[in-house]
Amino acid sequence: MSIYLGVETSCDETAAAVVRDGRSVVSSCLLSQFELHAGFGGVVPEYAARRHLENINSVIAAALNEADLTPDRLSGVACTTGPGLVGGLLVGVCAAKAIAWSFNLPLIAVDHLLAHVCASYIDSDLEPPFIALLVSGGHTQIVYFKDYRQAELLGETLDDAAGEAFDKVGRLIGLPYPGGPALDLQAANGCAKRFSFPRARVPGYDFSFSGLKTAVFTAIEKLDKPWPVADLAASFQDAVVAVLVKKTLLAERETGAGKIVVAGGVAANSQLRADFQAQSPVPVYFPRTELCTDNAAMVAAAAHFCGERQDLSLSVYSRRC
Ligand code: KG4
Ligand code: ZN
């Protein structure tokens, strides 16, 4: 049996969680900085780091209290070490290191992208092999997980990440920050056929979303106000989701992996979830919606499944030639 404390501070959520055996969340505490950055239309790294510093101790204490645990009963302390905003990462690493050192526990450095994928192990019976579609604010990748610690990057975005495209287009059409969830809600009431936005034709398993963003911009320039925001949102979302689903299904077919995992903030998108379930011939695993965006339970799960030495980093992992 393992019981890990996870710490996550790579962007704008200060989070700590306790997870048993990598599958069961005992406690999960999270303080979002959403309102701090909303006025800027994006995360301000220095403000984020300072807010993490103010909150990290109380968030960790709350996670341990909620789990009714003292640190000496932990198997180890896991923290995100990258990729992410360096000031925030430093706060999380220092806090996790201090607890690990004080209680003589192992300290596990966790790759943030790998942690997003490991969120899918929580509350499920998922085991490798599988194809993972990792769609977050900073990354869009298709990765072939042959085993818990053996992964091969098949493709990634050549420009904007999927979440970044959602956020930028959300802003363009006048939706509040962050654009992803707001655009998802608008799209539910819109007509996806109203605008025919391009599906970028990039070879292999790579993606490109910057042309799509420009296409939305060009479309609204020709429109009188008020813009048909719901139709713009639905048409944009449809273009993104179609490409993500198509390439992921292709990767599964080519590798014969037998299962698909969709993870990262954009995995919370309702159309992405529905279209995968409708179109995939193999089982598709999504983390619970609240575990798609940044959280610390996924960090603790990664510590359990990927071991104490995490040399598997999806951000630097070598590509298939
Ligand atoms: O994984 P995450 O929390 O942070 C990063 O590691 O980047 O992902 C955040 C991204 C943001 O771009 C946000 O707009 C997007 O995930 N997102 C969504 C939805 N919920 C969050 N995008 C589309 N539909 C959603 N429902
Ligand atoms: Zn993330």
Side-chain angles (χ1 to χ4, degrees):
M1 195 195 89
S2 82
I3 187 143
Y4 282 102
L5 170 70
V7 175
E8 160 63 43
T9 54
S10 68
C11 193
D12 59 346
E13 322 278 4
T14 313
V18 175
V19 173
R20 182 173 294 119
D21 294 329
R23 304 251 185 214
S24 165
V25 180
V26 184
S27 68
S28 184
C29 296
L30 187 145
L31 267 181
S32 174
Q33 304 179 359
F34 154 76
E35 86 302 333
L36 174 67
H37 304 286
F40 299 97
V43 178
V44 183
E46 180 64 21
Y47 287 167
R50 285 165 190 248
R51 187 57 72 84
H52 284 308
L53 196 55
E54 282 164 25
N55 290 329
I56 188 70
N57 287 341
S58 54
V59 169
I60 291 176
L64 289 169
N65 279 341
E66 205 180 289
D68 200 16
L69 269 183
T70 47
D72 55 299
R73 294 190 32 220
L74 294 168
S75 311
V77 185
C79 63
T80 307
T81 53
L85 302 173
V86 76
L89 289 169
L90 260 172
V91 172
V93 169
C94 288
K97 224 174 183 175
I99 298 170
W101 183 81
S102 310
F103 291 88
N104 201 22
L105 297 166
L107 176 73
I108 299 103
V110 171
D111 179 276
H112 183 71
L113 307 185
L114 179 63
H116 269 302
V117 174
C118 290
S120 300
Y121 293 126
I122 295 171
D123 290 337
S124 85
D125 57 357
L126 173 70
E127 286 177 8
F130 54 79
I131 289 290
L133 171 68
L134 176 78
V135 269
S136 70
H139 294 81
T140 299
Q141 301 182 333
I142 294 185
V143 187
Y144 180 17
F145 275 82
K146 296 173 184 171
D147 206 338
Y148 290 100
R149 294 172 51 96
Q150 203 196 348
E152 185 180 4
L153 180 64
L154 301 184
E156 61 191 332
T157 183
L158 303 177
D159 39 56
D160 292 350
E164 190 182 353
F166 267 95
D167 292 339
K168 286 179 177 168
V169 168
R171 198 152 125 187
L172 215 58
I173 63 177
L175 296 178
Y177 166 87
L183 202 147
D184 189 354
L185 278 177
Q186 283 289 331
N189 302 315
C191 169
K193 294 200 165 52
R194 171 90 178 263
F195 299 94
S196 161
F197 291 135
R199 276 93 169 127
R201 286 199 200 91
V202 183
Y205 298 116
D206 287 337
F207 301 97
S208 167
F209 295 111
S210 64
L212 178 55
K213 188 182 60 195
T214 311
V216 176
F217 182 70
T218 313
I220 56 175
E221 271 197 326
K222 292 182 196 146
L223 291 169
D224 293 327
K225 285 199 173 175
W227 295 329
V229 172
D231 294 346
L232 284 163
S235 305
F236 162 80
Q237 181 174 280
D238 199 55
V240 176
V241 168
V243 176
L244 293 175
V245 172
K246 184 176 161 200
K247 292 213 171 188
T248 309
L249 293 184
L250 207 67
E252 191 290 318
R253 210 175 313 138
E254 194 206 60
T255 55
K259 274 160 265 157
I260 290 171
V261 164
V262 186
V266 183
N269 183 267
S270 39
Q271 189 183 346
L272 188 69
R273 294 173 92 93
D275 286 8
F276 261 116
Q277 299 296 7
Q279 295 175 36
S280 176
V282 299
V284 186
Y285 292 76
F286 289 91
R288 287 205 309 261
T289 317
E290 70 272 20
L291 296 182
C292 289
T293 44
D294 291 346
N295 64 87
M298 67 185 191
V299 179
H304 174 84
F305 285 105
C306 301
E308 294 186 1
R309 269 189 59 248
Q310 286 216 358
D311 42 15
L312 175 65
S313 169
L314 299 185
S315 43
V316 295
Y317 204 80
S318 65
R319 285 183 62 117
R320 172 188 277 205
C321 296

